[in-house]
Amino acid sequence: MQSEIFYYKQGEWKDFNNCKIPKQEVQSLICFSSRDLLESKEIYAPLKKEFKNAQIITCSTAGEINGKTAEENSAVAVALKFDKTKTEFAIGNIKQSKNSFNLGKSTTEKLTQKNLKYVLVLSDGNLVNGDELVDGIQSVIKPDVVVTGGMAGDGDLFQKTLVGLDSNIKEGNLVLMGFYGDSIKVGSGFKGGWDVFGLERMITKSEGNILYEIDNENALDLYKKYLGKYANELPASALLFPISIKSENSEEFIVRTILSIDEKAKSMRFAGNVPKGSVIRFMKSNFDRLIDAAGDAAILSKSRLGKNIKPELAFIVSCVGRKIVLKDRIEEEIEVAHDNISKKVNAIGFFSYGEIAHQYEQKTSRLHNQTISITTMTEL
């Protein structure tokens, strides 16, 4: 396996001429970019011109991750060449699907299932329900297949996200990249690092990703009570106070981000589903614990590659909420994650509207919010 990272800044791609992989032998490129640059086509066209034989995945972001640095209004891409591993691609669009579950299911069915080991998921982050999407993917694949990735971003605007396969770059797209064979080794790890506070409560009224009542009380009023002075700063202050939920058929809490509030309906809309009957807890930020969690996620991911196996490539997907909360300290998170994988590893990623990580104990993958998810990879 060979990988080479390029970055785009100040109107041009850097280091094309220093590519150690013969350009005609590059099999695929994965590119994370600000939405404006991706929409303008100035990102995709030079990539296709330089790497004519490669299939190119593109994804808009809420910020780009290039090695140890966190960028904005830029682009970063990794060129890949595998010696023994086969890859396949599949694309779908929510506008041609009944719902997000169907989008995940039908797109995954386009991939060959035999010898499938890993699926990288890059999805529209605005129109697609990430929870239902992952459920649809999981309904097709075998439990031992690792599934990771993220929901595309649009800075802090939350207006429109783009995902593409080659020139098909559109709002509403889902792109899957399948990896095949025993030579590819993949590890996944994720952590949050938020502090919980208050009592465990129960969701008593909800619909999909809309929360109405907690313990038969109005959810928005109760949430505001916990926020105190920060209630006047909603919805922006919600990034400082996510919630965690545990469904009736699970033993693990999942973090959920509040996307918007409806004062008239007294409801809150989340980035993932909040099922009735789930246990709910409020959370608050702790800067040092958030940064430490990045290191823990990296160690977990690397350990799951297998004993004495060194990672060659890492995909880092961190929530836009963490970026907004940590502000100037966000590069500490990325640096800690990078160095706990390996100081020499090629690392690339983005700030997302939702993170998809594999849960090894349950043999399934889930959508997470406000976490950092790290996928490590190598070819033996």
Side-chain angles (χ1 to χ4, degrees), residues 88-92 106-108 110-111 165 174-178:
E88 281 188 3
F89 300 83
I91 187 168
S106 60
T107 308
T108 307
K110 296 176 185 178
L111 293 175
L165 178 60
L174 164 69
V175 173
L176 305 179
M177 182 175 182

Side-chain angles (χ1 to χ4, degrees), residues 21 25 29 55 70 72 104 125 141 187 201 246 257 288 290 333 347 349-350 356 367 374 377-378:
I21 311 170
E25 295 180 17
L29 285 120
Q55 288 193 272
E72 288 184 341
I141 64 169
R201 296 174 177 271
K246 181 174 68 174
T257 301
D288 289 334
L290 289 173
E333 175 186 74
F350 70 106
I356 300 168
L367 173 77
I374 298 173
M377 182 185 302
T378 195

